[in-house]
Amino acid sequence: MNVDIGNALGTTPGVTEATLERLDDRVADAHERIADGMVNDEFGYASLNLPETTDPDAIRAAVAPFEDPEAVLTVGIGGSALGAATLADALDSDVDAYFLDNVDPDHVDALLASLPLDDVVVNVVSRSGTTAETLANFLVVREAMADAGVDWTERTFVTTGESGNLRRLAEAHALPALDVPEGVPGRFSVLSTVGLAVAALQGHDVEAVLAGGRDGMDALSGSLFESPAYAYGATTYALAERGARTNAFMPYAESLETFAEWFAQLWAESLGKDGLGQTPARALGATDQHSQLQLYRAGPPDKLVTLLRPTERSTSTIPETDLDGLAYLGGSSLGDLLDAEFDATEASLAAAGVPNVRIEIDRVDERALGELLFGMEAACVLYGELASVSTFTQPAVEWGKNAARGLLGGGAFPEADAVDDKRELRIEGR
């Protein structure tokens, strides 16, 4: 993974090299704190040890009973699904991957009706085993399988904590079970059992993903000028402090669109504390050049644009044509066109004084993805250290969970009372 922060210098808002050199002393202190947290396997910091502590053999053993399934269906939400979805959507496989990460009944019913339930492996993911959305969806899936004459116990494995409903379920029905690692928030769990079980079922090289993560670990150092991950974390922090409160994350590869969703959860949930943080906005190059770029280039000067691309991709030659004005396209490739769109967008933003950062990986494969995922996690942790926020907690998320449980009769939660206090100013349609 390489990071180019040149187009963040001298922009509006922007930073200078002198600013970053001054900040580098704080980066060194933050790196020491992060390294200590990793050595002591502290909550949250343990996430950055996953490339070394995750056991691929345990993952393969858990999925071994399910030979050559047609599809795998993960039932989880947030970090329990997004990491696995990122890898599944980025890498090709003959085993289709589906994710129930919402409780929209129309979507759930339509998806279950479309799946060959007798040849689907179900992966239920919840550390606590009490996540309302996950458990509700699993109950619906289990009933659908029973209605289809499928023994769900032969098609299901769980990924969960040491205790709780799912652990008891696994023990009662002798289901294969993977342990959610201790001290790792869900949004940081992609390089663990949580994110890699689906990859193993799809036949991907789990060891290569972890090796990429170790490449990212090896690249960490006490200076932002020597570490791509820290360069990104420090620069985004410095820009946010100067007014770039939105980070538009734009991969130039269709296969990395879900990665932008994963990044959005990581960045928002980790850094949005105490009135601080940077709002992630998801975009896709080149598609969103024709819409969102208008705002980024000519709207309020409060944005950073992060451009991500692989430097190696397939070609797909564009046929020759004699159509007026299009002859210049013939003989080049779609890859050439996409790279030209990337370079043009980057230059367009720079010409308008909009800060942008380039992230490049060699190609979209297991090792590069492992390094990229680890790099963004390390960047996020560094940003949190520099901003002095509690990176690994999510109190605002827990508030909403408590309110929902109270409304559904899952206990007495004062947060649920706030629903009755909603202020209304209704304008009725006909």
Side-chain angles (χ1 to χ4, degrees):
M1 182 181 82
N2 299 308
V3 172
D4 182 352
I5 58 176
N7 277 355
L9 306 178
T11 54
T12 305
V15 293
T16 65
E17 287 191 60
T19 300
L20 294 176
E21 287 169 358
R22 290 193 298 271
L23 183 61
D24 207 32
D25 289 337
R26 293 178 59 198
V27 171
D29 292 340
H31 173 63
E32 186 174 341
R33 171 70 187 99
I34 293 168
D36 286 344
M38 293 171 66
V39 167
N40 296 315
D41 225 25
E42 294 179 33
F43 179 80
Y45 299 98
S47 310
L48 300 181
N49 290 328
L50 288 174
E52 292 184 337
T53 58
T54 297
D55 181 4
D57 291 335
I59 295 171
R60 278 194 297 269
V63 303
F66 311 106
E67 293 186 7
D68 299 322
E70 183 172 334
V72 54
L73 173 63
T74 296
V75 184
I77 195 167
S80 294
L82 268 176
T86 295
L87 291 169
D89 290 348
L91 302 169
D92 292 331
S93 174
D94 293 332
V95 180
D96 295 327
Y98 301 92
F99 297 86
L100 276 183
D101 59 353
N102 203 341
V103 288
D104 178 345
D106 291 335
H107 171 70
V108 173
D109 291 346
L111 178 59
L112 292 178
S114 70
L115 293 178
L117 295 177
D118 59 343
D119 200 15
V120 171
V121 175
V122 177
N123 175 27
V124 192
V125 187
S126 169
R127 176 195 299 277
S128 65
T130 61
T131 308
E133 299 92 339
T134 299
L135 271 294
N137 272 339
F138 175 56
L139 293 174
V140 172
V141 170
R142 190 170 71 173
E143 182 176 63
M145 295 179 84
D147 290 345
V150 178
D151 184 349
W152 65 271
T153 66
E154 295 182 355
R155 311 296 306 167
T156 301
F157 72 99
V158 303
T159 307
T160 190
E162 293 182 354
S163 60
N165 294 326
L166 284 183
R167 181 63 64 177
R168 289 192 295 273
L169 184 77
E171 292 170 350
H173 296 281
L175 305 179
L178 284 166
D179 297 330
V180 173
E182 291 295 323
V184 177
R187 58 192 177 277
F188 286 90
S189 65
V190 58
L191 298 178
S192 77
T193 53
V194 176
L196 296 178
V198 171
L201 267 169
Q202 289 191 294
H204 299 310
D205 189 343
V206 173
E207 281 87 351
V209 178
L210 294 172
R214 291 192 294 274
D215 291 341
M217 295 177 73
D218 293 341
L220 297 182
S221 78
S223 171
L224 71 91
F225 297 105
E226 297 174 358
S227 168
Y230 284 170
Y232 186 72
T235 302
T236 51
Y237 162 75
L239 288 169
E241 289 292 293
R242 287 156 178 77
R245 291 302 181 90
T246 297
N247 186 342
F249 202 94
M250 184 181 291
Y252 274 71
E254 198 87 17
S255 62
L256 294 176
E257 185 172 14
T258 305
F259 178 87
E261 295 185 36
W262 174 87
F263 174 85
Q265 185 198 9
L266 177 75
W267 219 244
E269 192 171 357
S270 300
L271 303 175
K273 318 279 169 65
D274 305 323
L276 302 174
Q278 194 177 50
T279 301
R282 293 172 286 182
L284 178 65
T287 301
D288 289 314
Q289 290 174 211
H290 295 268
S291 54
Q292 296 179 35
L293 185 60
Q294 176 64 39
L295 174 67
Y296 302 155
R297 194 175 191 274
D302 60 355
K303 297 171 187 66
L304 156 70
V305 180
T306 300
L307 304 167
L308 166 64
R309 73 170 171 187
T311 56
E312 299 175 20
R313 62 171 92 243
S314 59
T315 53
S316 191
T317 301
I318 301 172
E320 300 285 351
T321 179
D322 57 1
L323 292 173
D324 291 342
L326 295 180
Y328 72 95
L329 292 173
S332 61
S333 72
L334 292 179
D336 294 335
L337 178 57
L338 191 58
D339 283 338
E341 298 276 10
F342 179 99
D343 293 338
T345 298
E346 188 178 54
S348 170
L349 292 165
V354 178
N356 57 93
V357 173
R358 176 194 293 203
I359 301 175
E360 291 180 327
I361 58 176
D362 291 338
R363 63 195 68 84
V364 180
D365 65 8
E366 288 95 335
R367 188 156 190 155
L369 287 168
E371 184 179 8
L372 178 64
L373 290 159
F374 179 90
M376 290 300 98
E377 290 181 349
C380 181
V381 174
L382 177 75
Y383 186 130
E385 296 291 332
L386 296 174
S388 298
V389 300
S390 180
T391 308
F392 304 114
T393 62
Q394 52 283 332
V397 174
E398 298 303 325
W399 195 101
K401 288 182 179 179
N402 290 340
R405 287 192 66 183
L407 290 173
L408 291 168
F413 293 93
E415 293 90 343
D417 297 336
V419 176
D420 294 329
D421 298 332
K422 179 189 178 302
R423 183 175 178 176
E424 290 189 355
L425 178 59
R426 297 172 65 90
I427 293 86
E428 301 284 354
R430 294 185 178 183

